[in-house]
Amino acid sequence: MSRPVDTADESRQAGPPDEGYRRGLTSRQIQMMAIGGAIGTGLFYGSSTVIARIGPSVIACYAAAGVIIFLIMRALGELMTYRLTSRSFADYAREFCGPFLGFTTGWSYWLAWTVGCMAEVTAAGHYIAYWWPAVPVWATAGVALLVLFVANIVSVTLFGELEFWFATVKVVAILALIVIGIGILTFGFSTLGDTASVRHLWTDGGFAPHGAWQSMLAMHGIVFAYLGIELVGLTAGEAKNPKETLRKAINTLPVRIAVFYIGALVVLLSVLSWTEYTPGVSPFVQVLAAVGIPGAAGIMNFVVLTAALSACNSGIYSAGRMLRGLAVSGQAPAAMKRLSARRLPLPAVILSTLIMGFGVVVNVVSPDKAFVYITSVNVYAGMWTWAMILVAHLRYRSKVRAGLLPTVGFRMPGAPVTNWLALLCLTFVAILMGASSDTRLGLYVWLIWFAVMIAGYRVARGRAVR
C-alpha cells in the first residue's frame, strides 16, 4: 500500500538530471514568466475576433477553459513533484504511456511552439503596422524573429530577464486598463462615461447573442489564448529551487486567470458594447483610443506588441530545449545535443528558429488568413500535449494505487474524475475545430503530422537497434 510522502521524503527525491544547462533562472523570473504565460496574443489580439463572434459569452468561455487549464497544470505539478525533469511532457508520456507516445509528445510540443511563434510574429507584424502601415507584415515579422533569436543565444539569464520585463509590462498595462475601466464605470469620466455600463453584458442582444452553440464553436480561439501556460514545466533544468518555485507558480494560476482574463474582459465589455469591437484590432487599443487619453492607443499598441514578442521569446526557448531533449533521448539528430560555450542548446535553437521563419512565408502567401491557419495548427499540437499530461497523470495515479510508486503531497484535486472531464473537454474542442471550415486545416495538418510521427518513430527505433 502506498504512503504519503512527507516533506523530508520529497526533498530526497531526485531532482532534474544535470543535462549541462546553467541554472540561471531565478524565482523572480520564473514567477513573472508564469504570470506572463497567462497573458498573450490570444487575449490582446485574438480576443477581438472572438468577442465579435460570440459577444459577452466570451467571459464564460474563458472561465470554463481556465478551470480545465488549472486541472491540467495541477496534474503536471503532481507529476513534477513525483519526479522533476526538464523534458517533462515527453518524459512523463514515455514513462507512463510508452516510447511511441513519448516520442510523439516531445515532437508535438516542439511543433506547438514553432507554429505558435509563427502566430506571434504574425501578430507582431500587425502591431508594428499601427505605426508603419506601409511596411509589409512579413518584413516586420522577420525582423522581430531575428531580434528574439539573438536574445536567446546570448544567455539564459538574459532570456529570463527579458521575459521578466516583458511580463511586467503586460501586467501593469492590464491592471491600468482595469483601473481606468472601473473609473469610467464608477465616475463616468472620459468620452465613454455616458454610455459605459455593465448592462452591456446582457442588453445588447443578450449574454450569448448568437446562441450557446456559436459560443462553443469559438472555443479554439480561447484555447489558443491559454497555450504556453505550461511553459514553467520546462524551466526545471535551469531554475533555482525548481520544486518550490513551480508549485507556487501553479497554485497562483486561478488568481492570474481571474484578474488578467476574466477581470479584463468584464471591463472591456462593460466600457464598450461587444458590437463595437472590430475583428483584427486589439480590443485594448480600441478602448483606450475611445477613452481619448492622448497617446494611450499608441502606448497600448506597444504593450500588445510586447505580449507577442514575449510569447515568441518563450517559444524559441521552449522549442530549443525540447528539441535538444529529444536528441539526448536519441529521438532527434545527434547534432542537436550540442551546447554552446554558454551552455545553451545553440544548434537546436537555430534549427527551431529557421522553421519558425516559415511563418513569415505564410504571411507573404496568405496575409489575411495567416493568423487563423497558424493558430488552428498550434491549438491541435498544444491540446495533444495537454491530453498526454492528463493521461500520464492517470497512469501515475493507477501505479500509486497499486503500491508501485509513492504518492506525493501536491495532488491534483478530484482525480481521476477531473482527468476524464478535462480530456472530454479537449476532445470536444478538437471535434468542433474539425467541423469549422476556418479551422479544419489544423485537423488535416495534425493527421499528416501524426503519420509523420509514426514513420519517424520507426526510423528512430531502427537506428537505436543498430
Side-chain angles (χ1 to χ4, degrees):
M1 184 174 181
S2 63
R3 62 181 180 86
V5 177
D6 61 23
T7 304
D9 288 333
E10 290 187 26
S11 67
R12 287 192 293 269
Q13 289 183 36
D18 182 4
E19 296 171 352
Y21 293 131
R22 176 174 290 127
R23 293 192 178 276
L25 295 177
T26 65
S27 176
R28 169 182 65 89
Q29 291 170 335
I30 291 176
Q31 291 300 327
M32 192 54 76
M33 284 165 62
I35 295 174
I39 311 169
T41 303
L43 175 63
F44 280 118
Y45 179 71
S47 60
S48 62
T49 300
V50 182
I51 289 171
R53 185 174 179 182
I54 66 174
S57 63
V58 68
I59 298 170
C61 291
Y62 267 99
V67 172
I68 301 303
I69 296 303
F70 176 65
L71 293 175
I72 293 168
M73 290 301 293
R74 280 300 297 260
L76 177 60
E78 184 172 347
L79 289 170
M80 296 195 77
T81 303
Y82 150 69
R83 181 173 66 84
L84 276 172
T85 168
S86 60
R87 301 187 304 271
S88 54
F89 318 121
D91 279 357
Y92 298 136
R94 186 179 303 112
E95 179 178 355
F96 294 109
C97 305
F100 170 69
L101 291 181
F103 175 87
T104 303
T105 299
W107 276 106
S108 297
Y109 193 67
W110 174 83
L111 175 71
W113 272 114
T114 52
V115 175
C117 276
M118 295 179 194
E120 303 301 344
V121 296
T122 297
H126 284 288
Y127 296 148
I128 295 172
Y130 176 87
W131 295 294
W132 298 294
V135 180
V137 169
W138 66 265
T140 51
V143 171
L145 183 62
L146 178 61
V147 170
L148 294 174
F149 164 71
V150 172
N152 268 266
I153 63 174
V154 173
S155 76
V156 70
T157 302
L158 176 61
F159 159 79
E161 199 62 23
L162 191 62
E163 198 59 27
F164 174 84
W165 289 109
F166 275 157
T168 299
V169 169
K170 292 186 286 186
V171 168
V172 170
I174 290 185
L175 291 177
L177 178 77
I178 291 174
V179 170
I180 291 171
I182 292 174
I184 293 171
L185 292 167
T186 305
F187 302 108
F189 69 81
S190 89
T191 55
L192 296 178
D194 294 335
T195 58
S197 171
V198 293
R199 289 192 297 272
H200 285 312
L201 298 178
W202 61 82
T203 57
D204 301 331
F207 185 71
H210 300 300
W213 179 248
Q214 191 66 29
S215 297
M216 288 187 286
L217 287 175
M219 281 298 292
H220 98 276
I222 293 166
V223 170
F224 171 71
Y226 285 115
L227 291 177
I229 210 165
E230 72 293 322
L231 168 66
V232 293
L234 286 181
T235 64
E238 294 168 281
K240 300 172 183 176
N241 303 318
K243 193 171 293 186
E244 178 183 345
T245 301
L246 295 174
R247 281 192 185 192
K248 185 176 180 181
I250 291 170
N251 277 337
T252 56
L253 179 60
V255 176
R256 299 198 302 272
I257 291 174
V259 173
F260 299 119
Y261 276 112
I262 309 305
L265 287 169
V266 167
V267 168
L268 288 171
L269 293 167
S270 297
V271 170
L272 275 179
S273 169
W274 70 272
T275 59
E276 298 183 58
Y277 287 102
T278 305
V281 178
S282 169
F284 293 81
V285 173
Q286 202 168 332
V287 163
L288 288 187
V291 168
I293 300 174
I299 294 171
M300 184 53 74
N301 194 72
F302 170 76
V303 171
V304 295
L305 172 61
T306 299
L309 295 177
S310 170
C312 190
N313 190 41
S314 297
I316 295 172
Y317 172 91
S318 301
R321 269 67 182 174
M322 183 57 73
L323 183 54
R324 181 179 182 259
L326 288 165
V328 169
S329 302
Q331 297 177 338
M336 296 297 107
K337 290 193 292 187
R338 291 203 304 267
L339 293 174
S340 69
R342 294 187 174 92
R343 295 164 71 182
L344 297 169
L346 185 59
V349 169
I350 291 174
L351 180 59
S352 298
T353 307
L354 287 174
I355 300 298
M356 291 169 191
F358 183 71
V360 178
V361 178
V362 175
N363 277 281
V364 174
V365 176
S366 181
D368 296 333
K369 290 286 189 177
F371 190 78
V372 174
Y373 290 157
I374 292 171
T375 55
S376 64
V377 175
N378 187 211
V379 168
Y380 271 107
M383 288 197 302
W384 172 269
T385 301
W386 290 347
M388 291 313 303
I389 291 172
L390 292 166
V391 172
H393 179 264
L394 276 172
R395 297 287 184 87
Y396 163 72
R397 278 289 188 93
S398 67
K399 291 193 174 186
V400 168
R401 288 193 296 272
L404 301 175
L405 290 175
T407 188
V408 296
F410 190 65
R411 305 185 70 185
M412 177 187 179
V417 174
T418 45
N419 293 71
W420 290 111
L421 174 64
L423 284 167
L424 180 64
C425 290
L426 293 178
T427 303
F428 183 59
V429 173
I431 293 172
L432 290 178
M433 288 177 61
S436 171
S437 59
D438 288 339
T439 56
R440 193 174 298 139
L441 175 66
L443 176 60
Y444 295 152
V445 172
W446 177 250
L447 292 175
I448 294 171
W449 174 257
F450 201 78
V452 171
M453 288 295 96
I454 294 173
Y457 177 71
R458 288 178 177 174
V459 171
R461 186 176 59 179
R463 186 186 300 121
V465 170
R466 291 195 298 270

